[in-house]
Amino acid sequence: MDASETPDITSAVYGLPPPELSAVPEGARQLSPTHPGAAALEDVAPGSLAEIVLLAPPGTAERRAALALGLRSLREGGRITALAPKDRGGARLGRELTAFGCAVDETAKRHHRICRAARPAAPAGLDAAIAGGAPRFVPEIQLWSQPGIFSWNRIDPGTALLLDHLPPLAGRGADLGCGLGIIARAVLASAQVTALALIDIDRRAIAAARRNVEDPRASFAWEDARRPEAVPGRLDFVVTNPPFHQDGGEDQGLGQAFIRRAAEVLRPGGTFWITANAHLPYEAVLAEAFRQVTPRAAANGYKLYEARR
């Protein structure tokens, strides 16, 4: 969504707030970076919104930046409703909004905290909070990243396990849920790879991957990899460290859907590499979708499989 399209927005929603907890204004524009095709909250003109409903993310820097951006987008007196599960940032929402200068009406329902406030005439600390959630170069991993992206400032153990055991690949492939592009960089180290599609549901991850993977063989798509149109077909290989959380809770169906999508887009004989937490029940789905499934490694609570179509 181009920033030039955002000035006409008068109400907005960030994420998918449970409808029984907060009504979303009719016609509200979606602004979440994990909803492909949504406008960007940071591109909304300051002082242009009358109302925003925000399902606050769990990470502190990401959440404070989203709250600050939401307040910046409101006209004076405009209304913000921010909510989150109590154990995933909700318990801090009231204090954070108060620190920005808001008079907060806070309620609790169904394990969520729901905070309502009007934008004050002169909110405090917005710029610092927005900067704290902005993209940046992370020296520890020598990559561009942003708070809110999966494992945004470290290489997670599942990815490390895959990198330790992944052989040189060849032909056309895809990285489902590519994140920052860490796995993609390793895949593209093989000169035999001719093309690699990097696909992620998080706009911020795709933006970071574009900066981290400067290779003409790479293509990038802000897409839900579960959608058939999101992944090219007749591939020689697929790699993935799939997500298993959605809307604040564990969802084992995400990884299982990635497995099925990989089987659908691979050519006969194509290979699939998947790393995952050891407790996730992916073996039955792998066995159903692939002709041959081989455990390749296990360490630090993670497992690695190679499957052949």
Side-chain angles (χ1 to χ4, degrees), residues 32-260:
S32 169
T34 60
H35 290 255
L41 177 55
E42 56 267 34
D43 289 341
V44 175
S48 62
L49 295 185
E51 184 174 4
I52 185 169
V53 180
L54 190 146
L55 180 62
T60 300
E62 179 192 10
R63 183 179 61 254
R64 293 188 71 249
L67 292 172
L69 286 165
L71 286 168
R72 187 183 73 173
S73 72
L74 290 170
R75 63 190 63 160
E76 184 178 345
R79 303 294 301 179
I80 184 171
T81 300
L83 63 157
K86 287 187 285 187
D87 59 351
R88 294 181 62 82
R92 302 182 183 91
L93 278 178
R95 294 194 299 272
E96 290 168 339
L97 286 168
T98 298
F100 289 134
C102 297
V104 180
D105 175 24
E106 184 171 354
T107 59
K109 185 177 181 181
R110 293 190 59 181
H111 307 293
H112 283 65
R113 293 287 176 84
I114 306 163
C115 296
R116 297 178 173 86
R119 182 194 185 276
L126 297 189
D127 290 344
I130 291 168
R136 81 279 310 268
F137 185 77
V138 181
E140 292 82 359
I141 56 175
Q142 290 291 295
L143 295 170
W144 283 90
S145 188
Q146 184 175 357
I149 301 172
F150 169 70
S151 194
W152 77 274
N153 59 356
R154 65 185 181 92
I155 297 178
D156 72 286
T159 294
L161 184 67
L162 176 58
L163 297 181
D164 285 343
H165 296 275
L166 187 68
L169 300 174
R172 298 172 57 250
D175 181 354
L176 306 186
C178 65
L180 305 176
I182 293 171
I183 295 173
R185 285 162 60 96
V187 169
L188 290 166
S190 169
Q192 300 304 309
V193 172
T194 58
L196 181 67
L198 284 71
I199 301 162
D200 203 286
I201 200 170
D202 192 327
R203 171 177 49 79
R204 301 164 300 184
I206 290 297
R210 287 183 183 275
R211 304 182 80 163
N212 295 326
V213 183
E214 297 183 81
D215 191 302
R217 296 170 293 169
S219 63
F220 304 86
W222 177 28
E223 272 279 9
D224 184 341
R226 294 170 294 180
R227 292 183 61 248
E229 300 83 1
V231 187
R234 301 291 296 178
L235 298 177
D236 299 296
F237 65 86
V238 172
V239 294
T240 188
N241 181 0
F244 66 99
H245 286 94
Q246 183 168 318
D247 299 330
E250 183 173 306
D251 184 350
Q252 298 174 353
L254 288 172
Q256 294 169 350
F258 273 43
I259 292 168
R260 295 187 181 99

Side-chain angles (χ1 to χ4, degrees), residues 7-30:
D8 292 335
I9 301 173
T10 58
S11 61
V13 58
Y14 187 97
L16 295 176
E20 68 274 17
L21 299 182
S22 179
V24 174
E26 185 176 353
R29 178 74 63 83
Q30 178 60 251

